[in-house]
Amino acid sequence: MTALAELDRMILLSRDHVAPTLSDDEICQQFQSLKVLCVSDPHSLSSHSAQTVLFTLVALLSRMGMQVGLNLPDTAVLLPQPPFLGSSLCEALLASRRKLVTEATVRSDSDFKADVIFVVGDFPGKLHDVPCWYLTGSDWLGSVAMRGIAKPEPWSARLPVGAMVSAALAACEAFKFVMRSLPLRNPSDAVFFEPSFSSSWNFDRITVPLGERIDLGFVDFVSAGAISQAALFALSRFPGIEMSGRIFDDDITEASNLNRNLLTVATDLGEPKVQIASKHCSVGVRLEPVFGRCPGHTSDTRLARRVVVGVDDIPSRWRIQERAPNWLAVGGTSHYSVSSSVHTPGSPCSGCLHPIDDDGGEGRIPTVSFVSFWAGLATTVRLLRDALGQPYPPERQHLWLTPLRMDLLHAGMWIPVAPRRDCPAHCLASISMI
Amino acid sequence: MTVVVEKKFAVDVVYNGVTKPIEVQPEEQVTALLHKAISSFGITQNAHLLSLYRQDGSLVPEGESVERAGLMPNEVLLLRPNTVKGGGGLLQLACSIVHKAFRILRECGRGECECVVYWTGPAHESLIDGLEHPDHQRSALGYQVNDGWLTTFWKALGASKRSIKAQIHTHPTEAFHSATDDEWPIVSQAGFISIVIPDFALGQPSLENAWIGRLHINGKWQKLASMREALILA
């Protein structure tokens, strides 16, 4: 197994903009040579949210093949952080080296010479003069800001969604750092990879009962690929979650999945994706693995009241939509962009949003860890909001988000879904137009 | 004195999170705006998959002028992937056209020869509202459309701003796309639909047992799981 095979899809994505004269090997080496130092303070690390920032950030960086250094006070892991294993923070993070992507290391050497530094909350020591971002946030909001722009702020959030947002924003800054070092096909493309001096994203606060179990009921996940695994990665970090359900997929884990399948480790290669997703979730998330074609292909599978779809194949989304009329969340990615939507009775369905089979399913799909993660995280937030009776309003039925330049006004756009007369799933909203 | 009224205005196009103002004229086609936006962002990969969307989630119709599409100054438009262009959308047709096709294929083939018909519709709409039965030579092994008829037909289509949406032909027994079918469709544009009816169309007038495929941008035919991936029957 080589890094080229594991990072193949990210290299493919970078080729949207990298000059064609560069070989895959050269692009790969550039990502692998980046050294990222993660630091934090004891106060922050006594919170589950700051721990979640670190685990998520290390996962996203490692899956881009980068080398991670840690300068952290060790502390007990407060809640499970699958697929990381270990009772102490440093032990669990260090043990992940070469397990997420085989040549991505995680070290705590004192001579680690970082190219980029991420500060989770605050850091009492001296920081070298390299690009440095502070990661801050609250329950539902995450931010990154370059040194000098924002003040350090210890983490104290109770819920981990803002933490995961913050980690995803930081991972993107590391990705762009590498892209800036590569010659681009078109010089004007540099605008997509400029550093964000300060950026944030807010999924908007909702009321979550303190200390109570949050019962999501029975949920079906169609696909055990990157988006479903990202959604389950995020769900597994939410305190008090209780969920049962099934996960459907007929695919086997390959090396090229390691760059984005967040619950997968290198030793899982060759195993069915459903088994991996099922076994690496936290205790409160109980999924029955169903190895086989997605349920839209057969008529004998009744789907749950809530269904999460992460399949790329558009006709499969239509078939599932027809059989899951109650609540359907669809997460998808297209190159650097993320699409997340929810479809409920009477609202325009996923056929209205994705009316055309783009037939991209047979080829290699370009993607990178943090983009897939955003799609899964947005889906998880929708699932939580629905379970807590606080769904987004119709004008937020669709989120189109491109997490490259989250400092810009239109990086993330909430959009309603317009019904289509030619909806392939013949939903009520489309029929009412005829 | 002639007063020239400046009608040009700008819309804000968002791609990959970055916003750029693009100048348009009211009478300009939306397709021209789309091309300008693609060029402005220097997009060279899969540009044919991109369309413009309004903030209400609706697609900006590419067959319209900027004015008729209702675009306003400073309106924010999202440039994002939509579809394989070239007729890749779902085609709407009446059941009566399916029945008519079966009747012609049966009567012409008489249970012993292959036959072909073409479904047609307005060039810029996903609508099938016409059927053409070409002048052709036929046998149990295939058919060949008359060159002269084809030339006249193409001219007529151009003059009436119509296009061929799908070709439908019969096979003696099994429905499949032969190497000849792959090689010689009447239209070689990505998104074109080909339908093969088994048993010389002597069965029920339904597309359930038909082979239905769409021409991919890579030049290969993709078999569709069912007619519903290509057609909406009204």
Side-chain angles (χ1 to χ4, degrees):
Chain A
M1 187 165 42
T2 65
L4 265 183
E6 294 171 355
L7 302 177
D8 174 68
R9 303 306 170 85
M10 180 184 69
I11 294 166
L12 186 63
L13 179 64
S14 75
R15 286 211 171 275
D16 279 4
H17 302 285
V18 169
T21 47
L22 240 62
S23 68
D24 283 357
D25 216 17
E26 287 170 307
I27 297 171
C28 185
Q29 282 174 21
Q30 203 68 12
F31 277 96
Q32 287 184 295
S33 67
L34 187 75
K35 292 182 174 176
V36 183
L37 179 64
C38 300
V39 303
S40 189
D41 64 288
H43 176 69
S44 292
L45 291 180
S46 64
S47 73
H48 170 60
S49 55
Q51 293 192 357
T52 299
V53 178
L54 268 168
F55 281 106
T56 308
L57 181 56
V58 171
L60 296 175
L61 296 171
S62 294
R63 289 183 193 277
M64 292 190 279
M66 297 166 181
Q67 313 308 316
V68 176
L70 304 175
N71 188 344
L72 307 167
D74 203 7
T75 181
V77 176
L78 297 170
L79 288 170
Q81 296 278 354
F84 294 86
L85 296 171
S87 55
S88 91
L89 187 82
C90 290
E91 175 199 348
L93 289 168
L94 291 170
S96 73
R97 68 173 172 268
R98 301 188 188 281
K99 285 189 179 161
L100 306 181
V101 159
T102 47
E103 290 180 33
T105 60
V106 183
R107 297 147 52 187
S108 60
D109 315 343
S110 55
D111 62 344
F112 188 85
K113 290 198 168 39
D115 301 305
V116 171
I117 300 174
F118 292 124
V119 183
V120 178
D122 199 356
F123 181 65
K126 186 177 182 317
L127 295 169
H128 292 291
D129 190 20
V130 295
C132 169
W133 280 266
Y134 284 86
L135 284 67
T136 56
S138 55
D139 287 349
W140 301 92
L141 176 147
S143 301
V144 295
M146 280 187 112
R147 178 166 39 189
I149 303 253
K151 283 192 290 189
E153 202 176 298
W155 277 85
S156 59
R158 182 170 66 92
L159 302 175
V161 173
M164 290 185 273
V165 168
S166 176
L169 292 170
C172 174
E173 294 305 325
F175 175 84
K176 291 189 294 181
F177 187 92
V178 177
M179 289 297 285
R180 288 196 294 276
S181 70
L182 297 169
L184 300 180
R185 175 185 287 127
N186 180 353
S188 66
D189 290 354
V191 67
F192 300 125
F193 306 109
E194 286 174 14
S196 299
F197 293 103
S198 170
S199 65
S200 63
W201 179 256
N202 192 351
F203 276 111
D204 287 350
R205 175 177 295 280
I206 53 170
T207 308
V208 177
L210 188 66
E212 288 178 25
R213 310 307 286 172
I214 300 166
D215 187 5
L216 302 182
F218 195 87
V219 182
D220 280 335
F221 283 74
V222 181
S223 164
I227 292 159
S228 292
Q229 289 199 25
L232 293 167
F233 179 99
L235 265 183
S236 292
R237 281 154 174 77
F238 207 91
I241 286 292
E242 289 286 344
M243 188 188 83
S244 59
R246 296 170 296 184
I247 184 159
F248 300 85
D249 204 314
D250 64 352
D251 209 3
I252 300 289
T253 300
E254 296 176 1
S256 64
N257 300 134
L258 288 175
N259 86 316
R260 63 196 184 283
N261 284 15
L262 285 177
L263 292 176
T264 305
V265 294
T267 50
D268 289 328
L269 297 196
E271 267 199 63
K273 289 179 181 174
V274 286
Q275 296 286 359
I276 294 161
S278 171
K279 79 178 177 188
H280 287 310
C281 286
S282 67
V283 182
V285 179
R286 296 176 302 279
L287 287 176
E288 176 197 345
V290 182
F291 183 69
R293 296 192 79 185
C294 81
H297 284 88
T298 56
S299 57
D300 56 352
T301 310
R302 277 179 68 98
L303 288 171
R305 200 190 85 72
R306 293 194 183 100
V307 179
V308 173
V309 173
V311 289
D312 297 316
D313 183 53
I314 303 285
S316 293
R317 292 181 186 173
W318 304 338
R319 285 191 285 268
I320 296 158
Q321 175 71 70
E322 287 167 352
R323 309 200 40 230
N326 290 313
W327 188 93
L328 180 75
V330 181
T333 65
S334 174
H335 295 250
Y336 290 103
S337 296
V338 168
S339 171
S340 159
S341 59
V342 155
H343 309 276
T344 52
S347 72
C349 77
S350 74
C352 293
L353 182 58
H354 307 284
I356 303 299
D357 176 12
D358 66 6
D359 191 28
E362 297 301 315
R364 291 150 67 221
I365 295 171
T367 183
V368 63
S369 62
F370 65 91
V371 172
S372 296
F373 180 65
W374 271 106
L377 180 59
T379 302
T380 287
V381 170
R382 290 185 183 278
L383 182 58
L384 287 165
R385 291 182 72 109
D386 188 64
L388 292 165
Q390 299 163 78
Y392 284 121
E395 60 269 24
R396 291 191 167 200
Q397 193 184 352
H398 182 211
L399 172 64
W400 181 263
L401 183 143
T402 308
L404 285 175
R405 292 292 309 274
M406 294 296 284
D407 53 327
L408 300 180
L409 181 63
H410 296 300
M413 295 173 76
W414 296 102
I415 314 165
V417 177
R420 289 180 67 111
R421 205 183 294 268
D422 59 353
C423 168
H426 309 294
C427 68
L428 280 176
S430 67
I431 290 168
S432 66
M433 293 184 76
I434 298 170
Chain B
M1 185 177 72
T2 307
V3 177
V4 178
V5 179
E6 181 63 75
K7 296 187 293 180
K8 199 185 285 185
F9 63 90
V11 291
D12 288 333
V13 177
V14 181
Y15 175 71
N16 270 355
V18 175
T19 308
K20 287 190 180 182
I22 308 285
E23 285 201 331
V24 289
Q25 300 273 6
E27 65 276 13
E28 202 172 349
Q29 287 293 300
V30 170
T31 321
L33 164 62
L34 179 62
H35 288 158
K36 275 199 257 183
I38 288 169
S39 165
S40 173
F41 281 104
I43 303 166
T44 54
Q45 307 282 303
N46 297 317
H48 63 287
L49 299 178
L50 299 170
S51 292
L52 291 164
Y53 285 82
R54 290 193 174 89
Q55 283 186 295
D56 66 0
S58 64
L59 179 73
V60 183
E62 286 168 30
E64 299 284 7
S65 68
V66 164
E67 187 172 35
R68 282 176 59 91
L71 296 184
M72 306 298 286
N74 303 318
E75 185 167 351
V76 176
L77 302 174
L78 181 58
L79 181 61
R80 70 169 176 87
N82 174 25
T83 174
V84 175
K85 298 294 176 65
L90 289 172
L91 297 165
Q92 295 183 67
L93 79 164
C95 282
S96 59
I97 291 184
V98 177
H99 289 184
K100 190 175 174 188
F102 267 78
R103 195 176 66 243
I104 291 170
L105 294 168
R106 280 175 186 167
E107 287 174 4
C108 177
R110 302 189 311 272
E112 55 191 28
C113 291
E114 291 193 10
C115 181
V116 62
V117 295
Y118 303 127
W119 284 342
T120 63
H124 297 295
E125 292 180 35
S126 303
L127 176 70
I128 293 169
D129 60 2
L131 184 150
E132 291 293 332
H133 182 212
D135 182 1
H136 63 288
Q137 308 245 313
R138 64 196 196 281
S139 75
L141 301 174
Y143 66 89
Q144 188 168 3
V145 176
N146 179 291
D147 281 348
W149 179 91
L150 207 50
T151 305
T152 309
F153 182 49
W154 282 126
K155 284 181 185 169
L157 284 172
S160 57
K161 296 187 176 170
R162 292 173 65 81
S163 63
I164 302 176
K165 306 294 184 184
Q167 70 174 31
I168 301 93
H169 78 278
T170 54
H171 273 187
T173 53
E174 196 185 344
F176 65 97
H177 225 227
S178 67
T180 309
D181 299 334
D182 284 352
E183 197 73 20
W184 302 106
I186 181 89
V187 173
S188 300
Q189 229 176 6
F192 186 65
I193 297 294
S194 176
I195 299 172
V196 185
I197 312 285
D199 304 324
F200 292 129
L202 295 174
Q204 287 295 313
S206 154
L207 299 176
E208 291 301 330
N209 297 320
W211 184 98
I212 302 182
R214 179 183 282 137
L215 187 58
H216 190 260
I217 198 157
N218 64 11
K220 293 185 176 157
W221 285 91
Q222 178 204 10
K223 183 179 184 297
L224 304 180
S226 83
M227 60 160 247
R228 299 190 60 194
E229 292 179 19
L231 305 166
I232 299 174
L233 290 179

Short mmCIF file of all heavy atoms in Angstrom, two decimals, chain A residues 143-171:
data_model
loop_
_atom_site.label_atom_id
_atom_site.label_comp_id
_atom_site.label_asym_id
_atom_site.label_seq_id
_atom_site.Cartn_x
_atom_site.Cartn_y
_atom_site.Cartn_z
N SER A 143 -14.70 28.89 14.81
CA SER A 143 -13.95 29.97 14.17
C SER A 143 -12.47 29.63 14.10
O SER A 143 -11.96 28.87 14.94
CB SER A 143 -14.06 31.28 14.98
OG SER A 143 -15.38 31.67 15.12
N VAL A 144 -11.80 30.21 13.13
CA VAL A 144 -10.34 30.24 13.14
C VAL A 144 -9.93 31.68 12.83
O VAL A 144 -10.60 32.37 12.07
CB VAL A 144 -9.69 29.29 12.11
CG1 VAL A 144 -9.99 27.85 12.42
CG2 VAL A 144 -10.08 29.63 10.69
N ALA A 145 -8.85 32.11 13.45
CA ALA A 145 -8.34 33.46 13.17
C ALA A 145 -6.83 33.44 13.32
O ALA A 145 -6.29 32.79 14.22
CB ALA A 145 -8.96 34.48 14.13
N MET A 146 -6.16 34.15 12.41
CA MET A 146 -4.70 34.16 12.44
C MET A 146 -4.20 34.91 13.66
O MET A 146 -4.87 35.80 14.19
CB MET A 146 -4.16 34.83 11.18
CG MET A 146 -4.16 33.91 9.99
SD MET A 146 -3.33 34.66 8.59
CE MET A 146 -1.89 33.62 8.49
N ARG A 147 -3.02 34.51 14.08
CA ARG A 147 -2.38 35.19 15.22
C ARG A 147 -2.34 36.69 14.93
O ARG A 147 -2.01 37.11 13.83
CB ARG A 147 -0.95 34.65 15.37
CG ARG A 147 -0.18 35.30 16.47
CD ARG A 147 1.07 34.56 16.83
NE ARG A 147 1.78 33.99 15.67
CZ ARG A 147 2.81 33.17 15.78
NH1 ARG A 147 3.24 32.79 16.97
NH2 ARG A 147 3.42 32.70 14.71
N GLY A 148 -2.67 37.48 15.90
CA GLY A 148 -2.69 38.93 15.72
C GLY A 148 -4.07 39.45 15.37
O GLY A 148 -4.37 40.62 15.57
N ILE A 149 -4.92 38.60 14.85
CA ILE A 149 -6.28 39.03 14.49
C ILE A 149 -7.22 38.76 15.66
O ILE A 149 -8.07 39.58 15.99
CB ILE A 149 -6.79 38.26 13.25
CG1 ILE A 149 -5.83 38.48 12.09
CG2 ILE A 149 -8.23 38.62 12.93
CD1 ILE A 149 -6.27 39.35 11.00
N ALA A 150 -7.07 37.57 16.25
CA ALA A 150 -7.98 37.21 17.36
C ALA A 150 -7.18 36.96 18.62
O ALA A 150 -5.99 36.66 18.57
CB ALA A 150 -8.75 35.95 16.99
N LYS A 151 -7.88 37.09 19.72
CA LYS A 151 -7.23 36.80 21.01
C LYS A 151 -7.47 35.33 21.36
O LYS A 151 -8.52 34.78 21.04
CB LYS A 151 -7.84 37.68 22.10
CG LYS A 151 -7.33 39.12 22.05
CD LYS A 151 -7.71 39.87 23.28
CE LYS A 151 -9.21 40.12 23.30
NZ LYS A 151 -9.64 41.03 24.35
N PRO A 152 -6.49 34.71 22.04
CA PRO A 152 -6.71 33.34 22.50
C PRO A 152 -7.93 33.28 23.42
O PRO A 152 -8.18 34.23 24.17
CB PRO A 152 -5.44 33.02 23.29
CG PRO A 152 -4.45 34.05 22.92
CD PRO A 152 -5.19 35.25 22.47
N GLU A 153 -8.66 32.21 23.33
CA GLU A 153 -9.89 32.09 24.12
C GLU A 153 -10.08 30.63 24.50
O GLU A 153 -10.31 29.80 23.61
CB GLU A 153 -11.05 32.55 23.23
CG GLU A 153 -12.28 32.98 23.98
CD GLU A 153 -13.32 33.49 22.99
OE1 GLU A 153 -13.04 34.49 22.29
OE2 GLU A 153 -14.38 32.86 22.90
N PRO A 154 -9.93 30.27 25.76
CA PRO A 154 -10.05 28.86 26.13
C PRO A 154 -11.43 28.30 25.76
O PRO A 154 -12.42 29.03 25.79
CB PRO A 154 -9.86 28.87 27.65
CG PRO A 154 -9.17 30.16 27.94
CD PRO A 154 -9.63 31.13 26.91
N TRP A 155 -11.44 27.01 25.43
CA TRP A 155 -12.70 26.36 25.08
C TRP A 155 -13.49 26.03 26.34
O TRP A 155 -12.93 25.54 27.32
CB TRP A 155 -12.43 25.05 24.33
CG TRP A 155 -12.19 25.28 22.88
CD1 TRP A 155 -11.01 25.61 22.29
CD2 TRP A 155 -13.17 25.24 21.84
NE1 TRP A 155 -11.18 25.76 20.94
CE2 TRP A 155 -12.49 25.54 20.63
CE3 TRP A 155 -14.54 24.98 21.80
CZ2 TRP A 155 -13.15 25.58 19.40
CZ3 TRP A 155 -15.19 25.02 20.57
CH2 TRP A 155 -14.50 25.32 19.40
N SER A 156 -14.79 26.29 26.27
CA SER A 156 -15.63 25.91 27.40
C SER A 156 -16.99 25.39 26.92
O SER A 156 -17.87 25.13 27.72
CB SER A 156 -15.84 27.11 28.33
OG SER A 156 -16.44 28.15 27.60
N ALA A 157 -17.12 25.27 25.62
CA ALA A 157 -18.42 24.86 25.07
C ALA A 157 -18.81 23.47 25.59
O ALA A 157 -17.97 22.60 25.79
CB ALA A 157 -18.37 24.84 23.55
N ARG A 158 -20.12 23.28 25.80
CA ARG A 158 -20.61 21.99 26.29
C ARG A 158 -20.80 21.02 25.12
O ARG A 158 -20.55 19.83 25.25
CB ARG A 158 -21.95 22.23 27.00
CG ARG A 158 -22.59 21.00 27.63
CD ARG A 158 -23.76 21.41 28.51
NE ARG A 158 -24.85 21.99 27.76
CZ ARG A 158 -25.89 21.31 27.26
NH1 ARG A 158 -25.95 20.00 27.43
NH2 ARG A 158 -26.86 21.91 26.62
N LEU A 159 -21.27 21.53 24.00
CA LEU A 159 -21.58 20.67 22.86
C LEU A 159 -20.46 20.77 21.80
O LEU A 159 -19.82 21.82 21.68
CB LEU A 159 -22.93 21.07 22.26
CG LEU A 159 -24.09 21.01 23.25
CD1 LEU A 159 -25.38 21.54 22.61
CD2 LEU A 159 -24.30 19.58 23.74
N PRO A 160 -20.25 19.72 21.02
CA PRO A 160 -19.05 19.67 20.18
C PRO A 160 -19.21 20.09 18.72
O PRO A 160 -18.28 19.91 17.94
CB PRO A 160 -18.68 18.19 20.26
CG PRO A 160 -20.01 17.50 20.32
CD PRO A 160 -20.94 18.43 21.06
N VAL A 161 -20.37 20.64 18.33
CA VAL A 161 -20.55 20.95 16.91
C VAL A 161 -19.63 22.11 16.49
O VAL A 161 -18.92 22.02 15.47
CB VAL A 161 -22.03 21.25 16.59
CG1 VAL A 161 -22.18 21.74 15.14
CG2 VAL A 161 -22.86 20.00 16.80
N GLY A 162 -19.60 23.17 17.28
CA GLY A 162 -18.70 24.29 16.98
C GLY A 162 -17.25 23.82 16.95
O GLY A 162 -16.44 24.31 16.15
N ALA A 163 -16.91 22.87 17.81
CA ALA A 163 -15.55 22.32 17.85
C ALA A 163 -15.20 21.67 16.52
O ALA A 163 -14.11 21.87 15.97
CB ALA A 163 -15.46 21.29 18.98
N MET A 164 -16.14 20.89 16.00
CA MET A 164 -15.87 20.20 14.73
C MET A 164 -15.82 21.19 13.56
O MET A 164 -15.05 21.01 12.62
CB MET A 164 -16.90 19.09 14.52
CG MET A 164 -16.69 17.94 15.51
SD MET A 164 -17.75 16.52 15.26
CE MET A 164 -19.20 16.99 16.19
N VAL A 165 -16.64 22.24 13.63
CA VAL A 165 -16.59 23.30 12.61
C VAL A 165 -15.20 23.93 12.62
O VAL A 165 -14.54 24.09 11.57
CB VAL A 165 -17.66 24.38 12.88
CG1 VAL A 165 -17.42 25.61 12.01
CG2 VAL A 165 -19.06 23.83 12.64
N SER A 166 -14.73 24.24 13.81
CA SER A 166 -13.44 24.89 13.96
C SER A 166 -12.31 24.02 13.40
O SER A 166 -11.41 24.50 12.69
CB SER A 166 -13.25 25.18 15.45
OG SER A 166 -12.02 25.71 15.69
N ALA A 167 -12.38 22.72 13.69
CA ALA A 167 -11.36 21.79 13.17
C ALA A 167 -11.41 21.72 11.65
O ALA A 167 -10.36 21.69 10.98
CB ALA A 167 -11.59 20.40 13.77
N ALA A 168 -12.62 21.71 11.08
CA ALA A 168 -12.75 21.64 9.61
C ALA A 168 -12.21 22.92 8.97
O ALA A 168 -11.56 22.86 7.91
CB ALA A 168 -14.21 21.42 9.23
N LEU A 169 -12.47 24.06 9.60
CA LEU A 169 -11.94 25.33 9.06
C LEU A 169 -10.41 25.31 9.08
O LEU A 169 -9.75 25.73 8.12
CB LEU A 169 -12.44 26.51 9.91
CG LEU A 169 -13.93 26.83 9.85
CD1 LEU A 169 -14.30 27.87 10.92
CD2 LEU A 169 -14.33 27.35 8.47
N ALA A 170 -9.84 24.79 10.17
CA ALA A 170 -8.37 24.76 10.29
C ALA A 170 -7.76 23.79 9.27
O ALA A 170 -6.74 24.10 8.64
CB ALA A 170 -7.98 24.35 11.71
N ALA A 171 -8.37 22.64 9.12
CA ALA A 171 -7.84 21.65 8.17
C ALA A 171 -7.78 22.24 6.76
O ALA A 171 -6.84 21.98 6.01
CB ALA A 171 -8.71 20.39 8.19
#
